[in-house]
Amino acid sequence: MRLFERSRAGYALTEAGQELLQVAADMETELASATRQLGKRAAWPGGVVRLTTTDTLMHAALAPLLSVYQRQAGVQLLINTSTVQQDILKGEADVAIRAGGRPADPLVARRLCRIESTVYRSRQIGGATPSNLADFPWVAGDETFAHLDSTKWLYQQGLDANAVLRTNSHVNVLNLVKAGAGLAVLPCYLGDLEPSICRVLPSPPKVWSSDLWLLTRLELRHVPRIKQLFDAVFEGTRPMVELFEGRAALS
């Protein structure tokens, strides 16, 4: 049976193709629903928790407190730090720890703190000031960073043209800055922990600010192992709030 029709404009679905597409979409929805229903059966500590977050948060903050949570809850904790964002509503992950604006319903969201970023340089690179940023090479993110306010600022300032290295990871950016490859924008919770680098812009630009959130689905919010993870991450990040908000280096 023909599913596509070819024309000068390209390919288009036939009526049969449209029907098959709808069947596939319905199957995806039903599978996600079944996954969620089965997840609710495991309403006790132990079992599996699938967490999605970023490599930067794992590198700087989350590893110790997640390790403690795993031992206390007796769970198998599966951590995904892929740059491809997993969809919690489709059942691709149980919990997310992400930066951004306030998440839309129907996700359950708990705000952890604000996240600030600023410009850093290696201490090997002298002479960089807020007024001569264009005189230096830069390390920048690739297209996966395009949504960030700091990336948009680089374009607006014409500094993106100075990018000698691009990468899809803030941890990579950090290591390249430490190696003296150039200036870069980094979250303060990464940059302020490294003694070999320092701020070029002393105070984080407020336009780069975002919030850090804990997210899960409605039906999982009362599952003990998920609730325990929420509490562990919230309490574990309280001593780090000044670091996340860019105030640790100023106090």
Side-chain angles (χ1 to χ4, degrees), residues 148-169:
L148 299 177
D149 289 336
S150 55
T151 298
K152 296 173 185 176
W153 178 84
L154 286 176
Y155 277 102
Q156 293 166 359
Q157 300 297 316
L159 298 172
D160 186 71
N162 289 25
V164 295
L165 290 161
R166 294 185 183 278
T167 177
N168 67 343
S169 163

Side-chain angles (χ1 to χ4, degrees), residues 102 109-115 210-214 234 238 245:
R102 182 171 186 83
R110 188 172 188 180
R111 183 182 178 276
L112 296 173
C113 59
R114 193 173 71 252
I115 290 184
S210 61
D211 290 324
L212 184 61
W213 297 90
L214 263 169
F234 183 83
R238 292 312 86 200
E245 297 187 347

Side-chain angles (χ1 to χ4, degrees), residues 36-100:
R36 292 195 296 270
Q37 291 300 321
L38 290 172
K40 287 193 288 187
R41 290 173 178 260
W44 57 82
V48 176
V49 175
R50 297 167 301 158
L51 172 69
T52 177
T53 187
T54 65
D55 59 346
T56 53
L57 289 167
M58 284 300 301
H59 176 84
L62 294 181
L65 61 91
L66 290 178
S67 179
V68 171
Y69 158 75
Q70 184 280 321
R71 291 194 299 271
Q72 292 177 344
V75 300
Q76 182 184 37
L77 184 58
L78 306 180
I79 302 170
N80 188 300
T81 58
S82 169
T83 55
V84 179
Q85 195 171 90
Q86 293 189 303
D87 193 325
I88 300 178
L89 290 176
K90 287 186 177 180
E92 295 174 352
D94 302 317
V95 176
I97 306 175
R98 292 177 183 158

